[in-house]
Amino acid sequence: MDAKQSKIAVVTGAGSGIGRAVAVELLRAGWSVALAGRRPGPLEETAALVPDGASVAVRTDVARPEDVDGLFAAAAARFGRVDLLFNNAGTFGPGGVPVEDLPYDAWRHVVDTNLNGAFLCAQAAYRQMKEQDPRGGRIINNGSVSAHTPRPHSVAYTATKHALTGLTKSLSLDGRPYGIAVGQIDIGNAATDMTSRMQTGALQANGELAPEPVMDVADVARTVRHMAELPLEANVQFATVLATTMPYVGRG
């Protein structure tokens, strides 16, 4: 598909995990994609997975307003507009640290990346989508099942993911007059480097370590693509995609 005829996406955290899987899914479906991440090397590796795809790699720290401005300027300069932001960049922070021992710098790093970064990218996307012709677009925020239920010793991650739900709702409401649709995907145990420990043993609420099932990250990517390719008159407000038998629903 010609880049000028394809839809244009910005994917943050595109150098690994869910971001890479979604970027590859979109590129293979004919989307043009601006790949954002802190490390240029992994971004280039993502682009190389679809060598005939229309992509541009932009080094971006989503917690830095100037980086985010540069990302959307680069996307617009290369492709002319932005139809989709997949707001995916995030960090769990130091694992297994009780709340009373969590350093403030670690808390701030998680908040700056997961919440402030998501806001800055959404704000930049909103500005672009509001002014472009034809007007409008879609934002999909990557929440987590932690937006509903915490894991032990995850106060910073859980707090930011709960906050993302409020961000999604507010952006969705404010975007209505401008044809900007906003939704959220809450993901549980997709098989990535970030969740590799799940299969060997994850801390449970009762204090035990237990292995947990995971699912193929490609199934998450297909779900994001489905949400992305809906007409702007339709919106998946919230979707939860998880490993079927992970300890989440009910009591596990």
Side-chain angles (χ1 to χ4, degrees), residues 55-184:
S55 65
V56 58
V58 185
R59 186 192 177 283
T60 309
D61 180 345
V62 297
R64 296 172 58 88
E66 59 272 25
D67 281 17
V68 173
D69 289 344
L71 166 63
F72 281 84
R78 174 69 180 271
F79 300 120
R81 59 182 288 113
V82 173
D83 297 293
L84 170 70
L85 163 65
F86 182 46
N87 227 347
N88 167 73
T91 181
F92 192 82
V97 179
V99 61
E100 66 271 21
D101 297 325
L102 183 69
Y104 180 65
D105 286 348
W107 165 272
R108 278 294 304 270
H109 176 65
V110 176
V111 172
D112 283 344
T113 303
N114 295 5
L115 180 57
N116 295 343
F119 163 73
L120 289 170
C121 289
Q123 183 183 56
Y126 191 99
R127 289 169 173 163
Q128 173 67 36
M129 292 171 180
K130 182 179 175 182
E131 300 301 327
Q132 64 194 9
D133 184 22
R135 189 166 67 178
R138 189 180 305 274
I139 298 170
I140 300 174
N141 293 324
N142 182 354
S144 168
V145 294
S146 291
H148 307 269
T149 303
R151 288 186 177 277
H153 306 322
S154 65
V155 64
Y157 184 79
T158 298
T160 58
K161 293 303 184 178
H162 274 66
L164 269 181
T165 298
L167 181 69
T168 296
K169 291 178 179 179
S170 189
L171 290 170
S172 184
L173 179 61
D174 291 345
R176 286 179 179 179
Y178 309 108
I180 301 172
V182 185
Q184 180 170 313

Side-chain angles (χ1 to χ4, degrees), residues 200-211:
T200 56
L203 184 63
Q204 305 297 307
N206 64 0
E208 296 180 357
L209 285 174

Side-chain angles (χ1 to χ4, degrees), residues 13-32:
S16 63
I18 291 168
R20 171 174 285 180
V22 168
V24 166
E25 177 73 18
L26 293 174
L27 285 166
R28 288 175 175 166
W31 285 67
S32 300

